[in-house]
Amino acid sequence: MIRLIENGIYLIQGKQALEVKDTNVLWDLNGQTVDPEQLLKEEFSDREMARKNTMAYQILSRHNTSGNMDDLKIRFDALTSHDITYVGIVQTARASGLKEFPIPYVLTNCHNSLSAVGGTINEDDHVFGLSAAQKYGGIYVPAHQAVIHQYMREMMTGCGSMILGSDSHTRYGAFGTMGVGEGGPELVKQLLSKTYDVKYPGVVAIYLEGKPRPGVGPQDVALAIIGAVFKNGFVKNKVMEFVGPGIENLSVDFRSGIDVMTTETTCLSSIWTTDDQVKKYYDIHGRSEAYAKLEPGEVAYYDGMVVVDLSKIVPMIAMPFHPSNTFTIAELNENPYDILKQVEAEARKQLDNPRIKFNLTERIVNDRLHVDQAIVAGCAGGSFENIMDVAAILDSQSVGNDYLSFSVYPSSQPIYYELIKRGAIGKLMQAGTLIKTAFCGPCFGAGDVPANGQFSIRHTTRNFPNREGSKPGELQISSVALMDARSIAATVIRGGQLTPATEIDFTPAEADYEFNADIYAKRVYQGFGKPIPESELKFGPNIADWPEMIALPENILLKFAAVIHDPVTTTDELIPSGETSSYRSNPLRLAEFTLSRKEPHYVDRAKEVQVLEQERRGLVAGAKGLADLSDGLRGLAEQILQAAPTYTHLQEALAATGIGTVIYAVKPGDGSAREQAASCQKVLGGWANIAQEYATKRYRSNLINWGMLPFTWDSDPEIDFHVDDVLFVPGIRQSIINEAATITGQLFTAHGVKEVKLQLNPLTQDEREIILQGSLINYYAAN
């Protein structure tokens, strides 16, 4: 059902795909050689010209300000943030001279709107957000009105436009908009009329053919694609361009449901061809002017292709703990014991806590897996068509009065309103379904947390460890599998017995959607272009400024505070989601949770080193004398003298050398765009990460924007990093200035001193300056 083609691909008139086997041969998708005379045609002889015929190139070129398509400097058409990130973004931009929002900036309140952690702090942030929208001219969407991406789809997308969001699922390709999810500092740059700088990405065609069978939904297609491309990095940091004859067989809702999940492939962005169905969508939403026909040029060249036969897609399930851990529901039902034992073994490695009991085979009843909870929610699950089909399946059925529960969250108030009009909400409620408002909690661990040991199936975006809100440090564990809403509903009416929707008879809903614009008009604050500079920002007691961050010293001495050998380390493991995010507006309080679920001693280790750095600064400032040095700082200073004999005195060595922490992880940064995964390390005195590779561009960008060095390292069998090892990196400041690609350091271990070669992948001039200044905040203050 999914086929990957690694060679270059020519797409003819958006339909016929020809694979480039070598420089002299073209093959069609059936493996048949194409007439060699084709190669003589001009469109095939100029590959670079054909690259320009992709939709991605056309959109990126219109938004690029550099004049060089190899090195893009992008200006976006609109920005969006939710209430985990917008306070920090506005605070950073304000400290950097913000006067007003130069482009539409949408502030939504869909992540912590139901949390009550920390007293008033969640609503305090919402009040701050509205005051910022008023002062600087923004758009403010109150809590429960819409989840971030549904509002953007309904009100802000446009064919050929680009939107940047501080949420990783900023994906609007099905609406003709290239969405990019990044950390907050990248939005700060746009608010200050700077640019988003990135190398021109590869573009991979996602060629859709055929038509989905009844009972198959968008999450099934998305999970099939994710399972095929995540582990091999096939589309990593590339643009996924959806083309092919199968698109016309998909509604806009269906397309969007596939598109939002492309984040889980680690791609940079996505874009789809547009047609009359997309035009109708914009007409319904009163924004006909936002529509334009998008399609590749006559002959377009792609760096690879994913061929998806929609007719062969079957109901899928992504087992704990990643959206790429995919199986067909049929194969899981046929062989539950072996598959669940395999999932258990991999999960226990990932959890790395022998005290936690993780057992899925206990949930097998009569040779079928049984679930305890079911949820359809958020930007992926809460769409009109998904919920209409769920209502059709549950009509006259019952959720039951046992342990199984079922909750549905429409993704916006207009969708909720329409579902009421169509009678869908009544059918769901009568069946025992809990209907809730637009909220992202089930996606990030702040709502509907299952009981310990329970198993939840969800049409949401992620199933990372503890994304459902459990606390392994307190020996709580539950788990989530991702499924399509239709198969979730089928499972519910079977009393929790895992059931693909293709096994039941139901009539899919075919009601045309109508959009009630009054719902937003009467509640959303529309302030773009109308700033009120004299109005005051409203601060709650938990909203705090960023602590001081110093410029990069001449040298750095780094103590390893965490060493993680997992194949991939998610953003959630670097900084937990869920209730901890309630402290997002107070950098010091939020930092207390850094790596808490993965490496509980990290914060204490980092603080111990941070005390030594404060002591060093006191010495440099003259507030301390050499006689006052602690044993800890004196020991580190002697290591500096050993590694850098050009320094002859402790004071001289310490004056030139910053002391901080570093973490090593094989492949960190998969998942969320939240910059707190980096900023919390920085707040605790972090100066660098070392990785074999970074899971996403956005995590590496977050490190840079917080003044942290994104080192990579080619694994060396002679070297093994351990907690409390110390790495001395001499001349790092000059190395950054000199654009050095390789950095040499001295590693102090319990077994002696070893030389370590680290790499710094190319940095832009701005990125180098940000690192030299110590953070993006310092960079703007200096300019």
Side-chain angles (χ1 to χ4, degrees):
M1 54 187 177
I2 304 284
R3 183 155 59 100
L4 308 184
I5 300 175
E6 297 184 16
N7 297 313
I9 289 284
Y10 287 103
L11 188 67
I12 316 299
Q13 296 179 337
K15 302 290 184 183
Q16 183 187 11
L18 301 180
E19 179 182 359
V20 182
K21 284 288 188 179
D22 55 42
T23 56
N24 297 312
V25 180
L26 290 176
W27 298 69
D28 66 20
L29 293 185
N30 296 317
Q32 300 298 312
T33 306
V34 177
D35 182 356
E37 291 297 316
Q38 288 262 45
L39 290 168
L40 300 178
K41 293 184 178 180
E42 183 179 352
E43 54 263 38
F44 295 109
S45 63
D46 191 344
R47 184 174 297 179
E48 292 309 308
M49 182 61 69
R51 284 184 189 275
K52 297 179 182 180
N53 283 334
T54 64
M55 293 180 288
Y57 186 96
Q58 295 163 27
I59 295 172
L60 289 169
S61 63
R62 288 198 296 270
H63 290 81
N64 180 37
T65 64
S66 72
N68 176 4
M69 286 298 291
D70 292 329
D71 296 298
L72 302 174
K73 291 183 176 294
I74 299 295
R75 291 266 177 86
F76 288 84
D77 299 296
L79 308 175
T80 188
S81 297
H82 49 58
D83 49 348
I84 283 182
T85 55
Y86 65 58
V87 175
I89 291 168
V90 172
Q91 284 283 70
T92 303
R94 183 174 72 95
S96 305
L98 175 70
K99 300 301 181 186
E100 68 176 88
F101 297 153
I103 56 177
Y105 183 23
V106 177
L107 310 179
T108 69
N109 296 275
C110 50
H111 273 57
N112 282 310
S113 45
L114 291 182
S115 298
V117 177
T120 69
I121 61 178
N122 285 300
E123 195 58 28
D124 290 346
D125 284 356
H126 298 168
V127 169
F128 175 91
L130 178 56
S131 71
Q134 291 172 343
K135 183 177 183 66
Y136 299 116
I139 300 166
Y140 178 84
V141 183
H144 311 292
Q145 289 293 306
V147 301
I148 177 172
H149 302 307
Q150 186 59 30
Y151 183 85
M152 299 305 288
R153 294 163 183 158
E154 292 171 350
M155 303 300 292
M156 302 301 294
T157 51
C159 294
S161 67
M162 293 188 71
I163 293 175
L164 181 68
S166 56
D167 181 272
S168 51
H169 290 98
T170 306
R171 292 287 186 270
Y172 314 122
F175 305 90
T177 299
M178 287 185 67
V180 178
E182 280 282 358
E186 291 299 333
L187 277 78
V188 172
K189 293 176 184 177
Q190 296 289 312
L191 291 175
L192 299 173
S193 298
K194 308 299 181 182
T195 58
Y196 176 71
D197 301 344
V198 63
K199 292 286 186 182
Y200 184 79
V203 182
V204 175
I206 313 298
Y207 187 87
L208 304 183
E209 57 186 4
K211 181 178 181 179
R213 65 184 70 179
V216 169
Q219 188 83 325
D220 297 316
V221 179
L223 292 178
I225 294 172
I226 294 163
V229 304
F230 173 77
K231 291 177 183 176
N232 56 23
F234 193 77
V235 297
K236 179 180 176 181
N237 293 331
K238 298 175 182 177
V239 176
M240 297 174 72
E241 185 154 308
F242 286 78
V243 296
I247 291 178
E248 66 185 20
N249 296 323
L250 305 178
S251 69
V252 174
D253 251 12
F254 201 115
R255 300 175 200 182
S256 180
I258 298 170
D259 186 66
V260 72
M261 292 296 293
T262 60
T263 294
E264 305 311 320
T265 68
T266 68
C267 75
L268 178 71
S269 186
S270 63
I271 191 67
W272 293 56
T273 58
T274 61
D275 55 17
D276 286 345
Q277 292 192 66
V278 179
K279 181 180 185 303
K280 182 179 179 181
Y281 178 91
Y282 283 119
D283 290 343
I284 288 170
H285 287 79
R287 299 195 296 120
S288 299
E289 75 286 351
Y291 176 74
K293 176 72 173 175
L294 294 183
E295 59 186 351
E298 183 76 11
V299 176
Y301 181 83
Y302 296 90
D303 299 296
M305 177 175 278
V306 180
V307 181
V308 182
D309 186 342
L310 295 168
S311 67
K312 294 181 179 178
I313 300 291
V314 295
M316 304 289 296
I317 184 169
M319 295 297 286
F321 283 113
H322 199 276
S324 66
N325 192 18
T326 55
F327 302 87
T328 69
I329 295 178
E331 68 180 312
L332 179 55
N333 283 340
E334 289 167 5
N335 190 18
Y337 290 96
D338 288 343
I339 290 176
L340 292 180
K341 285 177 181 177
Q342 173 191 333
V343 171
E344 288 171 354
E346 292 173 354
R348 288 182 188 125
K349 287 180 186 177
Q350 196 167 355
L351 293 170
D352 193 24
N353 187 339
R355 299 170 62 208
I356 294 176
K357 180 186 177 184
F358 183 76
N359 193 320
L360 295 179
T361 52
E362 289 182 348
R363 316 225 67 74
I364 299 175
V365 179
N366 296 326
D367 294 327
R368 292 284 282 268
L369 176 65
H370 274 64
V371 307
D372 306 288
Q373 185 193 66
I375 296 173
V376 173
C379 57
S383 72
F384 175 72
E385 288 182 7
N386 282 344
I387 298 175
M388 286 290 288
D389 280 356
V390 167
I393 293 170
L394 263 73
D395 190 13
S396 302
Q397 302 288 332
S398 173
V399 173
N401 59 4
D402 209 335
Y403 290 104
L404 177 66
S405 66
F406 183 38
S407 298
V408 169
Y409 293 73
S411 58
S412 72
Q413 284 290 83
I415 287 176
Y416 199 163
Y417 177 82
E418 194 66 15
L419 290 167
I420 292 172
K421 278 177 52 184
R422 304 289 181 179
I425 294 297
K427 291 177 183 178
L428 291 169
M429 293 178 70
Q430 192 166 0
T433 307
L434 295 174
I435 310 298
K436 303 186 180 182
T437 53
F439 178 48
C440 296
C443 285
F444 82 105
D448 290 308
V449 183
N452 182 57
Q454 286 193 339
F455 186 73
S456 177
I457 53 173
R458 303 183 176 188
H459 191 153
T460 56
T461 55
R462 291 216 169 107
N463 62 336
F464 292 168
N466 322 114
R467 261 279 165 146
E468 80 300 343
S470 60
K471 296 181 179 179
E474 299 177 18
L475 302 186
Q476 301 172 9
I477 188 68
S478 57
S479 54
V480 168
L482 301 181
M483 290 169 50
D484 187 77
R486 292 147 193 83
S487 291
I488 289 174
T491 299
V492 167
I493 65 172
R494 294 277 178 88
Q497 176 180 285
L498 189 67
T499 304
T502 48
E503 286 188 5
I504 64 170
D505 292 325
F506 76 100
T507 302
E510 295 185 357
D512 277 347
Y513 176 74
E514 295 178 0
F515 178 71
N516 187 338
D518 283 349
I519 292 172
Y520 289 149
K522 292 176 178 177
R523 193 72 189 95
V524 174
Y525 178 79
Q526 295 285 350
F528 176 63
K530 299 175 286 186
I532 310 173
E534 64 275 15
S535 67
E536 297 293 329
L537 293 175
K538 296 185 178 181
F539 293 88
N542 187 61
I543 298 176
D545 290 326
W546 293 101
E548 179 190 7
M549 300 174 194
I550 67 168
L552 181 68
E554 295 301 322
N555 320 303
I556 50 175
L557 189 75
L558 306 174
K559 197 166 188 177
F560 283 83
V563 175
I564 303 169
H565 292 288
D566 293 353
V568 179
T569 303
T570 68
T571 309
D572 279 12
E573 291 168 312
L574 294 164
I575 182 66
S577 61
E579 67 180 66
T580 59
S581 297
S582 295
Y583 300 104
R584 64 208 173 265
S585 304
N586 188 319
L588 295 175
R589 292 189 71 181
L590 184 63
E592 294 287 335
F593 298 97
T594 311
L595 277 166
S596 58
R597 292 174 178 169
K598 191 68 187 174
E599 184 56 84
H601 300 294
Y602 169 82
V603 171
D604 289 339
R605 293 175 188 143
K607 284 183 175 181
E608 288 173 4
V609 176
Q610 195 170 34
V611 168
L612 299 179
E613 168 63 7
Q614 294 301 327
E615 184 183 353
R616 181 194 75 85
R617 294 187 200 178
L619 176 70
V620 173
K624 279 181 172 288
L626 285 174
D628 302 320
L629 286 189
S630 66
D631 291 342
L633 185 58
R634 187 176 295 276
L636 292 178
E638 289 172 352
Q639 288 179 318
I640 298 172
L641 292 177
Q642 179 183 345
T646 53
Y647 297 115
T648 56
H649 302 289
L650 289 179
Q651 178 126 8
E652 180 187 15
L654 289 171
T657 307
I659 295 171
T661 50
V662 60
I663 71 167
Y664 168 77
V666 175
K667 189 178 179 181
D670 178 37
S672 173
R674 284 173 293 130
E675 71 273 12
Q676 291 98 329
S679 67
C680 285
Q681 296 174 50
K682 181 69 172 184
V683 165
L684 292 169
W687 271 113
N689 277 196
I690 300 174
Q692 291 185 26
E693 66 174 301
Y694 292 96
T696 58
K697 175 204 169 293
R698 56 182 172 269
Y699 178 65
R700 183 176 181 272
S701 296
N702 286 337
L703 292 174
I704 293 167
N705 285 327
W706 288 106
M708 299 178 69
L709 292 150
F711 289 128
T712 54
W713 176 65
D714 296 328
S715 185
D716 183 340
E718 300 297 319
I719 295 174
D720 194 11
F721 299 128
H722 295 92
V723 168
D724 292 335
D725 285 352
V726 173
L727 178 67
F728 177 67
V729 186
I732 183 62
R733 184 174 184 86
Q734 195 60 45
S735 294
I736 299 296
I737 294 171
N738 293 344
E739 303 181 32
T742 301
I743 308 294
T744 302
Q746 300 295 318
L747 181 68
F748 291 81
T749 74
H751 305 290
V753 182
K754 298 180 180 179
E755 185 176 271
V756 176
K757 298 282 188 183
L758 302 170
Q759 287 77 47
L760 267 178
N761 290 335
L763 299 166
T764 67
Q765 181 60 39
D766 283 350
E767 288 173 337
R768 288 194 297 275
E769 286 296 327
I770 291 167
I771 290 173
L772 290 171
Q773 294 289 351
S775 70
L776 185 69
I777 297 172
N778 292 358
Y779 170 74
Y780 284 128
N783 288 279

